[in-house]
Amino acid sequence: MENAVVLIVGAGPSGLAMAGCLTQHSIPYVILEREDCYASLWKKRTYDRLGLHLAKEFCFLPHKTLPPDAPTFMPKQYFLRYVDGYVSEFKINPRYHRSVESAFFDEAAKKWRIEANNTLEGSMEVYSAEFLVVATGENCEGFIPSLPGLDSFPGDILHSNLYKSGSKYKSKDVLVVGCGNSGMEIAYDLVDHGARTSIVIRSPLHVLTKELVHRGMSLLKYLPVYMVDAIITMLARLEYGDLTKYGICKPKRGPFANKTATGRSPVIDVGTIKKIQDGEIEVVSDISSINKNNVVFKNGTEKKFDAIVFATGYRSAANKWLKDYKYALNGEGMPKNSFPEHWKGEKGLYCAGLSRRGLFGVSMDAQAIANDINKFTSGKN
């Protein structure tokens, strides 16, 4: 058994931010990662055209600012170079190929006991830690809903985390299920590569340009949410007109109030809306059933498809291995405490990157957790 002061599970942005903050306090840690690299979701499971939708002032990790000449909205590769620099600067060395199978609080030892499978060597490793940080993120496992007849579909079925480019779908009929940022951007990419594209939009959503989001987030520093929502909603109406005739309805709350209440971000348009307005992307209703290549929709229409891309979000998988999740998480693997105390659990258990506030939230969580751990360790010393 190996002893650790802090054990971090996950070497995505949340885990790396935690490592950077703990280093600032000279607190030793061990970081376990099941993949063969850090930031694996960004490096392996994102589509080619992905870029950061939020401005750079909201997208950096703790204790390392972006260079002054960084683009306002960073492409994926630019952000990954920044992450590489972060890992190098803070000398972060995750232990790769470690799949955590179990973690529970040992009441006798008053420490966390973590068991990890070293998938490279085929051996089990056991760790004991005073503090355990769940940093596996919100986007741990891709979620595909159970639909009647889905198993009969003979074409490609994939989650958005496996989608790279629309080039292989030229002249094919593709259905995108899910109308968040990933779904909308994938639909745009498919059309751009010559696919005949349809998208399921079943939930009300706000559509904004990235410039409007940037402006709104800047205004929130000075104005209340309801005023910012009114301004941004008016500007979005001027930009896009009435979208209800295209099957796109707005939530009752404004974009920023809705984000706070539900965690659901507005869709940041990359050009998809114009393609919908021009008829290049067809908006369809929710799916009723699937019979081989035929998809039947709830409004009674039916259409054949060659492929289905599910941009239906992710699920936290922490509860599968965290046996005593009750000390920090709810039954869905998300924080049981409400914002802004969501990051702190009991008995030295913390969760980073589960606030649904992107990289800005990741940075806030990591600093708060490291400061809290530092209080305990400084008190002992």
Side-chain angles (χ1 to χ4, degrees):
M1 181 185 293
E2 181 176 345
N3 293 313
V5 177
V6 183
L7 190 136
I8 305 166
V9 182
S14 301
L16 300 179
M18 274 308 318
C21 290
L22 291 170
T23 298
Q24 287 294 102
H25 289 295
S26 300
I27 298 172
Y29 64 86
V30 172
I31 182 167
L32 304 180
E33 169 57 50
R34 67 180 180 181
E35 300 288 345
D36 60 358
C37 63
Y38 55 83
S40 64
L41 181 67
W42 284 86
K43 291 184 175 182
K44 293 181 173 184
R45 297 188 179 93
T46 50
Y47 42 93
D48 295 343
R49 65 174 296 116
L50 179 69
L52 273 71
H53 293 132
L54 297 183
K56 61 183 178 183
E57 59 259 44
F58 304 106
C59 293
F60 60 88
L61 299 178
H63 309 297
K64 183 175 174 60
T65 57
L66 289 156
D69 61 349
T72 302
F73 300 96
M74 291 179 282
K76 178 176 72 172
Q77 292 305 322
Y78 190 100
F79 176 68
L80 284 174
R81 287 195 297 272
Y82 165 77
V83 172
D84 290 341
Y86 192 87
V87 170
S88 177
E89 182 172 325
F90 288 98
K91 298 179 173 60
I92 302 170
N93 292 299
R95 299 185 184 183
Y96 299 116
H97 303 284
R98 265 66 170 197
S99 176
V100 175
E101 304 294 327
S102 171
F104 64 90
F105 188 73
D106 186 334
E107 290 288 355
K110 300 299 180 187
K111 290 186 176 181
W112 287 90
R113 180 185 171 94
I114 301 97
E115 298 178 359
N117 181 14
N118 183 331
T119 57
L120 203 60
E121 298 180 1
S123 60
M124 194 65 72
E125 299 172 349
V126 181
Y127 300 84
S128 177
E130 294 179 51
F131 305 97
L132 176 62
V133 181
V134 178
T136 47
E138 302 165 8
N139 301 337
C140 190
E141 286 190 352
F143 171 71
I144 293 180
S146 178
L147 294 171
L150 180 60
D151 56 353
S152 74
F153 187 78
D156 287 353
I157 300 172
L158 67 156
H159 189 269
S160 57
N161 66 3
L162 296 177
Y163 179 91
K164 291 296 181 184
S165 166
S167 56
K168 67 178 288 188
Y169 298 110
K170 184 177 181 180
S171 301
K172 292 187 176 182
D173 292 287
V174 184
L175 176 64
V176 179
V177 182
C179 55
N181 280 305
S182 294
M184 289 292 217
E185 192 158 354
I186 287 171
Y188 177 90
D189 187 65
L190 284 163
V191 171
D192 224 27
H193 283 91
R196 294 183 293 273
T197 308
S198 302
I199 185 168
V200 173
I201 297 182
R202 61 177 184 175
S203 304
L205 54 92
H206 285 286
V207 180
L208 305 175
T209 64
K210 58 187 178 183
E211 291 79 15
L212 284 177
V213 173
H214 186 195
R215 184 177 297 178
M217 292 182 75
S218 300
L219 286 173
L220 285 171
K221 298 174 185 176
Y222 311 103
L223 298 174
V225 172
Y226 79 91
M227 288 184 67
V228 175
D229 274 343
I231 293 167
I232 298 303
T233 302
M234 178 190 69
L235 293 173
R237 178 65 182 251
L238 291 172
E239 178 77 24
Y240 296 110
D242 180 12
L243 294 177
T244 56
K245 57 187 175 184
Y246 301 102
I248 301 172
C249 300
K250 290 186 298 186
K252 291 180 180 179
R253 299 185 187 92
F256 295 102
N258 196 55
K259 170 68 174 174
T260 302
T262 68
R264 186 175 173 85
S265 299
V267 169
I268 301 174
D269 182 38
V270 296
T272 312
I273 297 301
K274 187 172 190 316
K275 291 192 179 293
I276 290 173
Q277 291 170 328
D278 291 345
E280 294 181 70
I281 297 174
E282 181 184 3
V283 175
V284 294
S285 68
D286 204 4
I287 297 171
S288 175
S289 63
I290 298 170
N291 181 17
K292 297 184 179 178
N293 285 98
N294 297 307
V295 176
V296 181
F297 299 100
K298 288 188 175 178
N299 63 0
T301 60
E302 186 174 333
K303 190 172 180 180
K304 284 189 174 182
F305 292 97
D306 302 300
I308 304 176
V309 181
F310 285 93
T312 40
Y314 295 81
R315 296 291 184 270
S316 168
N319 288 10
K320 292 182 179 179
W321 55 266
L322 184 58
K323 307 308 177 187
D324 288 331
Y325 68 83
K326 62 187 178 184
Y327 293 124
L329 305 176
N330 60 25
E332 296 178 351
M334 297 300 285
K336 70 173 186 178
N337 296 326
S338 57
F339 183 88
E341 299 297 325
H342 58 283
W343 52 269
K344 187 171 183 177
E346 304 169 56
K347 300 184 184 293
L349 179 63
Y350 300 91
C351 52
L354 295 179
S355 67
R356 290 177 171 155
R357 283 168 169 79
L359 290 167
F360 185 69
V362 163
S363 185
M364 289 174 60
D365 289 356
Q367 292 178 83
I369 294 168
N371 289 339
D372 201 59
I373 292 174
N374 188 50
K375 288 178 188 176
F376 285 101
T377 57
S378 296
K380 282 187 177 182
N381 293 333

